[in-house]
Amino acid sequence: MSSLACAASSTSKPAQEAEPSSASSAPDAVKKQPEDIQKLFAREAGPIAKQPVAVPGAWTAYIEAKAPPNIEKSDNLLTITADLGWEMELRCYVYDKVIDAGGAANTMIKAAATKVSFKALSAYFFDHSALSPIIGIRGIYNVEQNGVMLAGDYKLVIMPRLEHPVMCEHDAPGYAASFARVASEFAKSFQFQTQQAEPARGELWAVTLDGNPVGFTQSLTYKGDSNQIRQTNLSARFIPRGPGELLFEDEATVITSNKEGELLTGRYVTYENGEPTLTMDVERKPKGYEYVGTVQDKELRGSFKSKQPLLSDYAAQKRLGTLSQAKKKATFDQFEYTPSIDPAQATKVNYAATPENGKLAVQVSTGQRGLVMSVNDKGVVDQILMPVGSKNVQADLVEEVGARP
């Protein structure tokens, strides 16, 4: 994982398809004195009994509720409405298709923003179940009703796994931690027979900005026929842009390389607020590399040659794993393909490794861009630090399975 960019399956759908057909109409607001509002926004609730939820032959799960939840089926999702006695009911959506975490969240927030004015909006919660991330978003808002300005509290939790992804919402002041508990436990409780192939190596990274959760990256590595290696990186980021504003980003890369890590094919997809901003395919040919795709709706197609074969992140990981055992300073360059920097040519990347506190600190630089990676004593990258202006983005490895093939 040599960059913080990665996420959303190459088969993922536009965010509009993720919008629940029965989404709540208008956020619920309250009019109270300031001290009363503070108490309402801080209130929580303890666990109550769990009710079963199931689609026979597909999956089973459970959710906290005072009574069996109401279940409604529509074209591409199941809507579960549960009463927990929290002033407003909690609503969860279970999808039949893959959803983009950022695009789906943007759709819900955008729909709510047509009726209210968010004055604070941010990701506030991160958890995971194995390699599947769970992230929560909270929006504090104002809304005018009958000439009176009211305050409200809208919350989302999303688990964008490849099978039976889940999104839950609740719109009442407070219960932020309680809602995160109920929604994440519901998402984790799913039992089903997976149709996904088992990766040789899997990693889940939590991304924070100055210590606050802002996203995740999931990296899966598969060993294919003829000793080919396929890496799929899926990620989403929820970046604050100002009071009451978030930038929702989804990215994906699917890279096929040989066992040496030389790039054979690559697919790169980026969405911002549910809209595609980059889609690029690259393929190695006998005389160089060919690329085709779009950047900001502009079609691009061409070919280029590289001084050295393009190498994938897999090649860098292998080399750093070897260097971590040597415990010596080392510097090396490799040519990579990064269409967000330049889709029409190779990008030279420098890696400078230095033993430090029992680990390997690696400075990675590309032109004016730079980041620092930490490689542990097992030869695995387990942390990435990248300055963004005056702030610091940090990615931490929170879950791993298998070994690098």
Side-chain angles (χ1 to χ4, degrees):
M1 181 180 173
S2 61
S3 72
L4 298 182
C6 292
S9 163
S10 58
T11 59
S12 61
K13 303 298 180 181
Q16 288 79 359
E17 294 189 23
E19 183 177 2
S21 58
S22 57
S24 60
S25 55
D28 184 52
V30 293
K31 180 187 177 182
K32 297 281 184 179
Q33 294 298 318
E35 59 272 17
D36 294 329
I37 292 177
Q38 291 180 4
K39 290 180 181 179
L40 285 175
F41 276 67
R43 62 183 172 175
E44 300 289 350
I48 60 174
K50 295 179 173 65
Q51 305 290 340
V53 183
V55 173
W59 54 265
T60 62
Y62 58 79
I63 190 169
E64 286 184 32
K66 295 170 64 177
N70 182 57
I71 301 175
E72 298 180 12
K73 174 68 175 175
S74 60
D75 290 340
N76 67 336
L77 59 82
L78 200 70
T79 302
I80 297 99
T81 304
D83 180 9
L84 290 93
W86 294 358
E87 189 173 325
M88 293 291 290
E89 295 175 322
L90 178 146
R91 185 170 293 160
C92 291
Y93 310 97
V94 182
Y95 296 88
D96 295 336
K97 302 178 181 180
V98 174
I99 64 172
D100 299 327
N106 176 66
T107 297
M108 298 294 286
I109 296 297
K110 189 176 180 180
T114 62
K115 305 176 181 69
V116 305
S117 176
F118 285 103
K119 62 179 184 179
L121 186 63
S122 64
Y124 79 102
F125 166 79
F126 179 84
D127 195 2
H128 65 96
S129 178
L131 296 174
S132 297
I134 305 172
I135 196 158
I137 299 172
R138 188 179 191 183
I140 307 301
Y141 64 83
N142 290 331
V143 60
E144 185 176 340
Q145 292 183 5
N146 300 321
V148 178
M149 190 63 69
L150 309 180
D153 185 0
Y154 182 66
K155 299 167 289 291
L156 286 174
V157 163
I158 307 166
M159 184 192 223
R161 60 186 163 213
L162 297 180
E163 298 171 286
H164 313 300
V166 173
M167 178 162 61
C168 298
E169 64 173 344
H170 184 246
D171 178 26
Y175 306 110
S178 305
F179 168 67
R181 181 194 73 239
V182 174
S184 59
E185 286 184 356
F186 171 59
K188 291 179 182 180
S189 73
F190 275 60
Q191 298 291 321
F192 57 89
Q193 190 69 38
T194 181
Q195 302 300 314
Q196 299 294 317
E198 189 75 17
R201 170 73 178 171
E203 298 179 353
L204 180 65
W205 293 71
V207 182
T208 58
L209 177 65
D210 284 349
N212 300 310
V214 292
F216 61 84
T217 292
Q218 181 197 72
S219 179
L220 305 176
T221 304
Y222 302 87
K223 186 175 181 180
D225 297 334
S226 304
N227 290 322
Q228 290 187 355
I229 303 297
R230 178 168 60 89
Q231 282 189 298
T232 300
N233 290 321
L234 313 173
S235 71
R237 292 189 295 273
F238 311 86
I239 308 298
R241 301 185 69 178
E245 291 186 29
L246 279 179
L247 172 64
F248 298 92
E249 295 182 334
D250 293 293
E251 296 186 16
T253 61
V254 181
I255 309 297
T256 301
S257 62
N258 59 23
K259 61 182 180 179
E260 286 76 32
E262 296 177 353
L263 185 144
L264 303 176
T265 64
R267 179 167 178 80
Y268 309 79
V269 180
T270 302
Y271 281 84
E272 289 187 5
N273 295 333
E275 298 296 328
T277 56
L278 182 149
T279 301
M280 194 64 59
D281 291 280
V282 66
E283 183 175 1
R284 187 170 78 172
K285 296 292 185 179
K287 295 184 178 181
Y289 298 87
E290 294 183 355
Y291 63 91
V292 60
T294 60
V295 178
Q296 299 293 351
D297 295 326
K298 180 181 179 181
E299 293 187 5
L300 298 176
R301 179 188 298 269
S303 61
F304 62 89
K305 294 182 178 180
S306 176
K307 295 179 181 179
Q308 301 174 11
L310 295 183
L311 297 181
S312 66
D313 185 48
Y314 176 75
Q317 290 175 358
K318 285 184 62 178
R319 190 158 183 178
L320 291 174
T322 301
L323 289 174
S324 70
Q325 304 306 310
K327 295 181 172 55
K328 293 181 179 180
K329 284 187 176 183
T331 300
F332 65 92
D333 297 330
Q334 71 176 41
F335 287 84
E336 302 176 3
Y337 185 67
T338 310
S340 61
I341 295 178
D342 191 338
Q345 63 180 356
T347 297
K348 184 178 179 180
V349 183
N350 176 260
Y351 294 82
T354 304
E356 189 176 287
N357 299 323
K359 292 189 173 185
L360 199 64
V362 184
Q363 179 72 47
V364 185
S365 56
T366 305
Q368 300 299 315
R369 300 187 181 190
L371 55 83
V372 177
M373 299 193 300
S374 173
V375 183
N376 62 27
D377 57 4
K378 297 180 181 178
V380 173
V381 179
D382 60 7
Q383 188 179 78
I384 299 175
L385 301 174
M386 183 173 65
V388 178
S390 61
K391 298 181 180 296
N392 292 300
V393 174
Q394 178 171 320
D396 292 285
L397 181 63
V398 295
E399 188 71 38
E400 58 180 315
V401 298
R404 187 184 306 117

